[in-house]
Amino acid sequence: MPAIISLTTDFGLKDGNVGAMKGVIWSIAPHVQIADLSHLINPQNVHEAALVVARAAPYFPDGTIHVVVVDPGVGTERRAIALRLGQQYFVGPDNGVFTRVLKRAASQGWPVQAVHLTRPEYWLPRVSAVFHGRDIFAPAAAHLAAGAPLEALGEAIGDLILLPLPEPQRTPSGWRGEVLHVDHFGNLTCSIRREHLGEHPDATIRIAGVKIHGIVGTFGERPPGELVALYGSSEDLILAVVAGSAAQRLNVKPGEIVEVDY
Amino acid sequence: MPAIISLTTDFGLKDGNVGAMKGVIWSIAPHVQIADLSHLINPQNVHEAALVVARAAPYFPDGTIHVVVVDPGVGTERRAIALRLGQQYFVGPDNGVFTRVLKRAASQGWPVQAVHLTRPEYWLPRVSAVFHGRDIFAPAAAHLAAGAPLEALGEAIGDLILLPLPEPQRTPSGWRGEVLHVDHFGNLTCSIRREHLGEHPDATIRIAGVKIHGIVGTFGERPPGELVALYGSSEDLILAVVAGSAAQRLNVKPGEIVEVDY
Amino acid sequence: MPAIISLTTDFGLKDGNVGAMKGVIWSIAPHVQIADLSHLINPQNVHEAALVVARAAPYFPDGTIHVVVVDPGVGTERRAIALRLGQQYFVGPDNGVFTRVLKRAASQGWPVQAVHLTRPEYWLPRVSAVFHGRDIFAPAAAHLAAGAPLEALGEAIGDLILLPLPEPQRTPSGWRGEVLHVDHFGNLTCSIRREHLGEHPDATIRIAGVKIHGIVGTFGERPPGELVALYGSSEDLILAVVAGSAAQRLNVKPGEIVEVDY
């Protein structure tokens, strides 16, 4: 069974840099299947990358290696790391980009193993100061895919950098959270999740001076153009305009406050 | 020989949703080759998806499985379906997105087999109301790739939803059709095809108040900046600006009327 | 070990044309690994494609076949060609797009072999006048991947089209060059390279009326918003705004003059 490597970066799609990473990977591990998760993470947005990889990773099989390169500190003292969380691997900079997958591992009681990538024999021979995705992370991931044990790649470490994650707060009448992500359709992913709200189909959601009444089951229950709340495919509360863009309608960005009363 | 799955969606490239589909596919069928056809179909534009998949599908080998997820009715009563058309398979919502490949199958006299995807054992264990691409279509396609027979996936059906396709009309002096698609270069694909016009290199094309004289063989026959008509790689009439954008020059969109006189 | 084909085009990502090329390739060589380098080369920008493929190619293993389709002369008398440069192959139009990889081959003393693609048995049966990427280049590359020798694809040729490459010039106080490329982040790649400048950490760079003092080692040495000069991952001089866009800050494009004094 071929190993799988997923790639998440802020490199964009026009300059060939993702392609160079694939060349490096296949030079070391020719049979690997490579899946692009996103190369359109907003530049340097570690929070967004953390969310994208945490949402997609559960749908990959055991043994998958997720490489995440959103790395404003490339070439500085920030560490390059590799993790084993349960049955999957993660490779990238130690800047908090793995906060959400680490949190899931903790909540599931999965074994966690982390190493600082200190062994240059698992990198390219020449390492530039500005492109560790190609020179360190891709080859390290490919060596994992080719069978190198995690502990061979570097020293065990335990004190990983974590991002503060905005947790929704209880209010007298419900929950107060924020917008975490605006997707391709302009749908707004909120920090409030089904596990917080439960089933309150008649809840009222307030955002940017607008009220949404009720939580629907899916987009098609309401006519095009209507602003709706529903649970997304990862059980997050989503605010959406049917066949439209809630981000444009409401003119909001990540960080915008969302309140739910029920 | 590894099976091939192609993916066509309106999910965009930034949120990791296409990647999650690939994880699902490789979890079930690890050796599958996956080709992205487009993830930039205009949101909910079933017509555009129907055109893109119909143009690319003939270039894939027998046995290829084309997954198309442009699905405004996700989670409603619209059916999830899988088709065998000749020697290829198609998986997606029953909303007309397969109209053009069904039409080709009919015109070629290919055998057509359709099933309603009703067997949850070929889906992910948990099915969200908003992401059947990941939870139903990807796993169903992967099971086909892994050898499941089409008829195992659900009940045979025959009454598929079809889109009305705008056919060009004969006029006293030629043909009247419309713009179907604007491509990345700004070239305009028309509903009038070589099979309608035949070889009339001296035809006159009228669109948006502008006349184009003659149909050239290829772009390089005329200087940069000139508006030309030619036959595209799928034998459609194409209106283009050499080294430029006809869509910008003419300020037109799909639906714009095109008339040809000869 | 599966063969690898890389693809570089100006086709964009929305119309399914790259997917059709992959279908053609896998119809002929089902096990090939395919890497997209870029499909967002600016339309008809042969210079940009030449740069992107030359930067990524060295990171692919021996035997890789790089297909480059930025081809404003498609369907005209311009030749379709395939090259062997050292241990890699290149397939595309004879319009200068291989100038940079040919220059590297010459500087490294690699063997160079070139053929004019004249044997239709290695193409699709029907060749359109506007999409040789699908009809000639993809099948020719796939036949190479499947083991056809280069010389089988056509007649040996030697007089390849080369682009004039802007070489930086010595000045009394340093070097004068130009911006070659603006990347996804808005970083500016200059024609001046480390091999010209050497280590002059205290050099002064002038561009668009602005002075940059010194060449830093990596982005993280300076605060967000600062305009810096550094060497990129291919040893080119790069002008960048830390966590920002130098192209926007300076409002410059490829061709802008850059001067370095030391």
Side-chain angles (χ1 to χ4, degrees), chain A residues 1-2 4 13 33-38 40 52 56 59-61 181-185 217-220 230 232-233 235 243, chain B residues 10-17 19-20 22-24 26-27 30-32 40 43-44 74-76 124 126 128-131 134:
Chain A
M1 215 169 87
I4 297 171
L13 294 162
Q33 301 269 35
I34 304 178
D36 299 301
L37 292 194
S38 175
L40 298 177
V52 164
Y59 295 92
F60 282 81
H181 182 69
V182 177
D183 79 8
H184 174 76
F185 296 99
T218 194
F219 301 101
L230 72 172
S233 65
E235 306 293 358
Chain B
D10 59 358
F11 296 169
L13 294 161
K14 75 183 195 65
D15 301 314
N17 293 321
K22 294 181 183 178
V24 168
W26 285 331
S27 296
H31 294 275
V32 166
L40 298 177
Q44 290 93 36
V74 60
T76 66
L124 290 197
R126 295 184 55 190
S128 84
V130 297
F131 194 0
R134 181 191 69 193

Side-chain angles (χ1 to χ4, degrees), chain A residues 14-15 23 30 74 126 129 134, chain C residues 33 38 59 181-182 184 218 235:
Chain A
K14 75 183 195 63
D15 301 313
V74 60
R126 295 183 55 190
R134 182 192 68 192
Chain C
Q33 300 269 35
S38 176
Y59 295 93
H181 182 68
V182 177
H184 174 75
T218 194
E235 307 294 357

Side-chain angles (χ1 to χ4, degrees), chain A residues 10-27 29-33 36 39-41 43-44 72-76 124 126 128-131 134-135, chain C residues 1-2 4-5 13 33-42 48 52 55-56 59-61 181-185 194 217-221 230-235 242-244:
Chain A
D10 57 359
F11 296 169
L13 294 162
K14 75 183 195 63
D15 301 313
N17 292 322
V18 174
M21 290 177 67
K22 294 181 183 178
V24 168
I25 289 168
W26 284 333
S27 296
H31 294 275
V32 165
Q33 301 269 35
D36 299 301
H39 301 294
L40 298 177
I41 300 296
Q44 290 93 35
V74 60
T76 66
L124 290 197
R126 295 183 55 190
S128 85
V130 296
F131 194 1
R134 182 192 68 192
D135 300 339
Chain C
M1 217 169 88
I4 297 171
I5 292 177
L13 294 161
Q33 300 269 35
I34 303 178
D36 299 302
L37 293 194
S38 176
H39 301 295
L40 298 177
I41 300 296
N42 278 301
E48 188 184 27
V52 164
R55 289 167 57 124
Y59 295 93
F60 281 81
H181 182 68
V182 177
D183 79 7
H184 174 75
F185 296 99
R194 195 196 290 264
T218 194
F219 301 100
E221 294 179 21
L230 72 172
Y231 288 116
S233 66
S234 298
E235 307 294 357
V242 179

